[in-house]
Amino acid sequence: MEKIDRKEAIKRAAALMGGVVFAPSILGVLKGCTASPGPWQPELFSSRQAAFTTAMANTILPGAAEQGVPAFIESMVKDIYTEEQREMYIDAMDTLIEKCVVETGSDFAELDEQAQFDFATIENTNAVEAGYAEGPQFFLILKELTMVGFFTSEYGATQVLRYQEIPGVYQGCIPFEDVGKTWATS
């Protein structure tokens, strides 16, 4: 058993609390929120926020916008998050949008793909290094919503992950090379 000091215990407790705060992702999926391709007319996000969400989702996971992930993210924030969480999300998104303008001279959606990738990579690194000691990190929340949206979409679940509507027999220990992909169901 690993021995930890007080500082590490507090850090881990904060990480657990962060997981609780953003359990809405799980709640949303359980309520049937999934991404689906098609046109998106933002209801909560401004056009600038929608463009940022679309570009960032595609940078985090290429093809995410095509599968309807930006609409999924807005739906989660609008319909599942509490008012406090919604305000926190919007404020953090606006802060990151402005940070991008200050650091690059352009809105994130207007940058070329390499500049978007570079900015997102730095933000990801900063968020991971900050951990939950400084509270939930917006970039990690956005990244989580992108991943959940993509992999709960029909395309993500059936074309990227393995999908079997009625799984067969349980085989608890087989070489990963024999299956090649992670299962979406089972």
Side-chain angles (χ1 to χ4, degrees):
M1 178 155 207
E2 180 183 357
K3 191 173 184 175
I4 60 172
D5 62 7
R6 183 171 183 229
K7 183 178 177 182
E8 183 63 25
I10 292 171
K11 190 186 297 183
R12 290 182 184 185
L16 285 173
M17 293 305 291
V20 171
V21 169
F22 290 97
S25 295
I26 296 168
L27 179 63
V29 170
L30 291 175
K31 284 188 169 186
C33 288
T34 59
S36 55
W40 171 42
Q41 186 63 41
E43 296 175 24
L44 175 67
F45 293 169
S46 68
S47 59
R48 188 179 189 201
Q49 293 166 337
F52 169 81
T53 301
T54 300
M56 190 58 88
N58 260 346
T59 302
I60 292 169
L61 197 56
E66 187 178 319
Q67 299 308 315
V69 170
F72 168 82
I73 292 170
E74 183 190 51
S75 175
M76 291 289 291
V77 173
K78 182 174 75 67
D79 300 330
I80 304 298
Y81 281 23
T82 64
E83 183 65 32
E84 180 184 359
Q85 291 168 331
R86 190 175 309 114
E87 287 177 18
M88 189 172 75
Y89 184 93
I90 298 289
D91 288 347
M93 178 167 49
D94 287 341
T95 299
L96 190 57
I97 289 170
E98 289 305 320
K99 181 179 180 183
C100 183
V101 171
V102 169
E103 292 183 3
T104 69
S106 294
D107 274 355
F108 185 79
E110 296 170 358
L111 297 173
D112 64 39
E113 284 184 25
Q114 185 60 52
Q116 288 177 339
F117 179 81
D118 293 343
F119 183 80
T121 299
I122 291 168
E123 287 304 311
N124 184 61
T125 301
N126 292 341
V128 169
E129 288 176 359
Y132 284 102
E134 297 176 23
Q137 300 296 310
F138 171 75
F139 189 84
L140 297 180
I141 295 167
L142 177 59
K143 189 173 162 184
E144 175 187 299
L145 288 171
T146 301
M147 302 293 277
V148 170
F150 184 80
F151 289 111
T152 56
S153 72
E154 182 177 346
Y155 178 82
T158 61
Q159 302 300 309
V160 178
L161 300 175
R162 292 189 121 198
Y163 178 79
Q164 187 174 19
E165 192 171 340
I166 302 173
V169 294
Y170 175 74
Q171 297 175 335
C173 187
I174 56 175
F176 182 74
E177 296 79 28
D178 289 354
V179 293
K181 291 182 181 178
T182 302
W183 289 91
T185 61
S186 183

